[in-house]
Amino acid sequence: MNPSPSSLATPLDVPNSASAPPLIAVSAVGTSQADARPVPALQAPAPAPTHTAAPAALPAPAPGKGGRFARLPLLAGRGFIPLGLFARLPLAMLTVGALTLVTAVTGSYAIGGAAAGAVGVGSALGAPVLGILADRLGQRGVLLVSAIANTIAIVALILTAYLIAGVQDLAAAVPVLAAAFVAGASCPQVGPLARVRWMALTSRAAGAGRGAGANSADLDTALSYESTADELTFVLGPALVGILASLLAPWLPLALAAALTVVLVPAFAVHPTHHAVVRTPRRPAPGSAAGLAGHPTGERHCGTGASTRVGTLAAVALPVLAMVCMGTFFGSTQTALSSFSASFATSEVAGLLYAVMGLSSAAAALSVAYWPRRFPVNARWIACAALMAGMAPLLLLPSTALPMILVLLVLGLPVGPLMVTVFAIGGLVAPAGKLGTVMTALASGIVAGTALGSSIAGQLAQSFGYSTAFLVPVCAATALFLLGTAAAVVLRKQGRKTAPAA
C-alpha cells in the first residue's frame, strides 16, 4: 500500500458538527460495483451558516494501486489500522490472563474459572453501556475514561489476587472476583467502535460524490479487515498470556494489558477519525413542543410509532442473538477441544487446535472484500450459516490430532465471512444514532455466548465425553442458520435494501 501523504490529511481534520447530515452507514451494503473512473479530489465546502464547518469531501484514490485494502489508509489515515489492531489486544488477554493469574496464586481452578467468568459477565454487561454513552457523548471522552478505569481495575485485580494467595474458599475470593468484574465491565470497546468509525467514514466518502457502490465496496473491505483483526487478536492474546506467564511471571500478562490500555486506547480515542461519527441528538421530552413538532393537532401517532419500534427491535435482536450463538459455537468448540486433546495428549494442545480454525476464519473474512456486490448480505448470512451447520457434524468424527486439524481448517472458512455479514446487518438495522450501541451489543453477545457455550460443553464433556460436547457447536451452527432465515424475512418485511437493483 503506497498512498500519497497528501491524501491522508484532508478527510480527518474536520471537527464534529451537530449540524452534519445523519450517516446511513450500511444502507448500501450489497449494491452495485463502483464506477471505475477516477474522481478528482473535491475541495472542502465553505463554512455553513452554523457554528461549525461541514465535513470535507474525501479524495478518491488512484485506481489500480494496491487493491481494495489499499483504500483503507486513504479513508482513515495510515496510523489508524495498526492503532486499532493493537489497542484491542488487552481485551483478548484479559479473560485468559485473569484465569492464569488467579489459578496460579490460589492453586484453585474453581476460583480461577470464577475470575475468568466474572471478566466475561462484566464485559457482556458493560459493553452496551459504553456503546450507549459513546453514541450520546462521543467516542473520545468515553474511551479516555474507560481506559483509565480499566487500567486501575486491572492493577486492582493483580493486587487482590496476591492478597488471597493460597485461598481455596470462593467466599474469601470476593475481592478478586469484584476486581475481575470491574475490569471486564470497563474494558474499552475498541473493535466495535472502530467499526462505527469505518461505517461513518465510508458513508462520508459516498456523500463526497463517489456513489453508493464505492461505499459498499469500502465498507465490505473495512468490515472484512475488522473481523480478521478480531480473529488475530483472539488468537494472539491467549498465546501471549501463556508465553509470558509460563516463562516469566503470572502477573506479567495482565500488567502488559494494563500498559497497552493506558497507552494505546487514549491514542485511539483522540485519533481524528472520531470526528466522522455523529452523536445521537437528545430526545425531546414527551409532550413538549419539540416532541409534538410535525403534528398540527398536537397528537402523536402512537400506534404507528410503537409498531415501528417493535419491528426495529426485532431486526436488531436477530443479529445480537446470532452473535450469542456465534459465541456459543466458539466457547463450546474450545472446551470440547480441551477434552478431546486430553484423550491423547494434554488439554493445553486445544489452544493450538483452536488457533487453526481462527486462522482459516481470519483468512476467509478478508475474502469478503472481493465478493460480488450482487450477493446481498441476507443471502450471505444464510449461505455461510448453512455451510457451518453442514460441516459442524464433522467435529464428531476425528479421534486424533491430524484429522481434527483438517476439520477445523475447513470449518473456519464460513465463520469469518458470517461474522463480517452479521456485523454489516447490525449496522443496517441500527436505529439512527444508535450504531455504537448496536455494535457493542453484538460484541457483548459473543462474550456472553462464549461463556454459555463453555459452560454447557464443559458439563457435557465431564459427564459424557468430548463427542457429546461437540453437539453444542452443531446446535449453535444450526441456530445461526435459522436466525439467518428469520432475519431475511424481517428485513424483507421492513423493506430494507439489502440487495441492489438488477
Side-chain angles (χ1 to χ4, degrees), residues 113-225:
V119 171
V121 171
S123 180
L125 295 177
V129 175
L130 293 176
I132 293 171
L133 293 175
D135 283 335
R136 279 299 176 93
L137 306 176
Q139 289 191 13
R140 181 175 60 178
V142 172
L143 285 167
L144 290 172
V145 172
S146 65
I148 296 172
N150 189 245
T151 302
I152 295 172
I154 293 175
V155 173
L157 174 58
I158 296 172
L159 295 177
T160 52
Y162 281 98
L163 288 176
I164 63 166
V167 169
Q168 301 288 318
D169 184 10
L170 196 60
V174 168
V176 76
L177 299 181
F181 176 84
V182 176
S186 61
C187 196
Q189 298 297 311
V190 173
L193 297 183
R195 285 180 170 90
V196 174
R197 295 189 189 189
W198 284 119
M199 291 176 180
L201 289 168
T202 54
S203 179
R204 253 175 57 174
R210 294 189 298 102
N215 170 40
S216 174
D218 289 343
L219 183 60
D220 274 348
T221 303
L223 293 181
S224 297
Y225 159 73

Side-chain angles (χ1 to χ4, degrees), residues 290-383:
L292 300 178
H295 299 285
T297 63
E299 295 177 0
R300 292 173 301 226
H301 300 286
C302 298
T304 304
S307 175
T308 302
R309 284 193 297 270
V310 170
T312 301
L313 181 61
V316 172
L318 286 170
V320 172
L321 287 174
M323 284 308 191
V324 173
C325 292
M326 185 68 76
T328 303
F329 178 85
F330 291 151
S332 59
T333 300
Q334 191 168 21
T335 302
L337 284 174
S338 296
S339 177
F340 169 80
S341 59
S343 66
F344 61 87
T346 61
S347 59
E348 286 76 10
V349 177
L352 298 176
L353 294 175
Y354 188 73
V356 171
M357 187 174 72
L359 293 176
S360 66
S361 173
L366 286 176
S367 73
V368 176
Y370 301 96
W371 289 14
R373 304 276 76 77
R374 293 184 179 276
F375 190 16
V377 287
N378 49 356
R380 293 184 198 177
W381 182 343
I382 294 173

Side-chain angles (χ1 to χ4, degrees), residues 46-497:
T50 54
H51 296 293
T52 55
L58 293 172
K65 292 186 178 180
R68 293 183 179 178
F69 286 94
R71 281 200 44 78
L72 298 185
L74 299 178
L75 289 171
R78 289 177 178 173
F80 182 70
I81 290 178
L83 185 59
L85 175 64
F86 292 105
R88 77 187 73 194
L89 188 58
L91 177 60
M93 300 172 64
L94 192 53
T95 301
V96 180
L99 172 65
T100 302
L101 172 64
V102 176
T103 300
V105 299
T106 63
S108 170
Y109 286 103
I111 297 179
V119 171
V121 171
S123 180
L125 295 177
V129 175
L130 293 176
I132 293 171
L133 293 175
D135 283 335
R136 279 299 176 93
L137 306 176
Q139 289 191 13
R140 181 175 60 178
V142 172
L143 285 167
L144 290 172
V145 172
S146 65
I148 296 172
N150 189 245
T151 302
I152 295 172
I154 293 175
V155 173
L157 174 58
I158 296 172
L159 295 177
T160 52
Y162 281 98
L163 288 176
I164 63 166
V167 169
Q168 301 288 318
D169 184 10
L170 196 60
V174 168
V176 76
L177 299 181
F181 176 84
V182 176
S186 61
C187 196
Q189 298 297 311
V190 173
L193 297 183
R195 285 180 170 90
V196 174
R197 295 189 189 189
W198 284 119
M199 291 176 180
L201 289 168
T202 54
S203 179
R204 253 175 57 174
R210 294 189 298 102
N215 170 40
S216 174
D218 289 343
L219 183 60
D220 274 348
T221 303
L223 293 181
S224 297
Y225 159 73
E226 285 295 321
S227 291
T228 302
D230 285 342
E231 294 280 3
L232 291 178
T233 53
F234 278 95
V235 169
L236 177 61
L240 192 59
V241 169
I243 293 171
L244 294 177
S246 60
L247 296 181
L248 297 174
W251 56 267
L252 188 57
L254 288 178
L256 177 61
L260 291 174
T261 297
V262 78
V263 173
L264 296 181
V265 173
F268 176 84
V270 301
H271 191 276
T273 51
H274 80 87
H275 290 302
V277 182
V278 177
R279 300 181 191 176
T280 305
R282 286 184 176 273
R283 285 186 178 181
S288 66
L292 300 178
H295 299 285
T297 63
E299 295 177 0
R300 292 173 301 226
H301 300 286
C302 298
T304 304
S307 175
T308 302
R309 284 193 297 270
V310 170
T312 301
L313 181 61
V316 172
L318 286 170
V320 172
L321 287 174
M323 284 308 191
V324 173
C325 292
M326 185 68 76
T328 303
F329 178 85
F330 291 151
S332 59
T333 300
Q334 191 168 21
T335 302
L337 284 174
S338 296
S339 177
F340 169 80
S341 59
S343 66
F344 61 87
T346 61
S347 59
E348 286 76 10
V349 177
L352 298 176
L353 294 175
Y354 188 73
V356 171
M357 187 174 72
L359 293 176
S360 66
S361 173
L366 286 176
S367 73
V368 176
Y370 301 96
W371 289 14
R373 304 276 76 77
R374 293 184 179 276
F375 190 16
V377 287
N378 49 356
R380 293 184 198 177
W381 182 343
I382 294 173
C384 292
L387 286 175
M388 281 183 64
M391 292 189 293
L394 296 176
L395 292 168
L396 301 171
L397 302 180
S399 58
T400 57
L402 183 57
M404 181 60 76
I405 288 173
L406 297 177
V407 168
L408 293 171
L409 190 65
V410 175
L411 182 57
L413 295 177
V415 172
L418 182 56
M419 288 186 65
V420 174
T421 300
V422 175
F423 271 114
I425 289 180
L428 176 67
V429 301
K434 299 292 186 183
L435 196 53
T437 305
V438 173
M439 290 296 109
T440 50
L442 294 173
S444 66
I446 296 178
V447 175
T450 301
L452 177 64
S454 297
S455 174
I456 297 174
Q459 293 292 332
L460 292 175
Q462 181 71 28
S463 302
F464 305 104
Y466 65 81
S467 294
T468 305
F470 277 128
L471 292 176
V472 181
V474 173
C475 294
T478 303
L480 280 166
F481 173 75
L482 297 176
L483 288 170
T485 305
V489 173
V490 170
L491 291 172
R492 191 177 297 111
K493 283 185 176 181
Q494 287 200 334
R496 301 281 185 175
K497 188 177 181 181

